[in-house]
Amino acid sequence: MGLAEGGIPIGAALYGADGTLLGRGHNRRVQDGDPSAHGETAAFRDAGRQRTYRGTTMVTTLSPCWYCSGLVRQFGISRVVVGEAATFHGGHDWLAEHGVQIVLLDDPECTALMRTFIKNNPALWNEDIGE
């Protein structure tokens, strides 16, 4: 969705401990002119206030950046499922060191999507990852 809107193709969803979808979103940094509008942040905001985030799972296209990794730690999200980390090795190792369960899928479709995006949009990609 983000790519079709002229943005960055990273999406995320937050699921409750029982598997219920709490919120979903995608990176909207370009579309909204908001540097904090990452996919994980959008999914978290879409979920709204929860009494606790313990037991929840964040699913994301790409390894979460430090900003999104901080969100996971701050609110105690228990598990992060990562589509791929070949194009960007974010903070998932740090999260694992602090007790967050990491499931790294190494999904070829996610990797191909990101590699194509990076090749076609290097300046936008570097802006997104803070380079």
Side-chain angles (χ1 to χ4, degrees):
M1 182 177 269
L3 185 60
E5 296 172 347
I8 297 160
I10 300 170
L14 183 65
Y15 290 90
D18 63 356
T20 302
L21 176 65
L22 301 174
R24 63 183 177 183
H26 61 279
N27 187 303
R28 294 194 50 86
R29 292 180 70 255
V30 174
Q31 299 91 311
D32 296 348
D34 178 355
S36 70
H38 292 207
E40 298 89 341
T41 306
F44 180 76
R45 289 175 179 160
D46 188 53
R49 290 179 59 200
Q50 304 293 315
R51 188 185 71 70
T52 183
Y53 295 90
R54 305 257 180 248
T56 61
T57 299
M58 180 70 75
V59 179
T60 181
T61 306
L62 186 64
S63 179
C65 69
W66 290 108
Y67 170 69
C68 295
S69 294
L71 181 145
V72 168
R73 282 267 342 262
Q74 174 70 32
F75 291 96
I77 294 170
S78 299
R79 183 165 74 150
V80 177
V81 177
V82 178
E84 72 98 354
T87 61
F88 179 75
H89 195 98
H92 68 266
D93 289 338
W94 176 76
L95 288 170
E97 290 169 8
H98 290 89
V100 177
Q101 180 186 2
I102 302 298
V103 178
L104 181 54
L105 300 177
D106 283 326
D107 182 77
E109 189 175 339
C110 289
T111 304
L113 173 72
M114 294 310 301
R115 287 195 194 285
T116 300
F117 176 77
I118 293 165
K119 179 182 171 200
N120 294 338
N121 303 279
L124 187 55
W125 171 250
N126 287 331
E127 175 190 330
D128 193 60
I129 63 170
E131 294 286 320

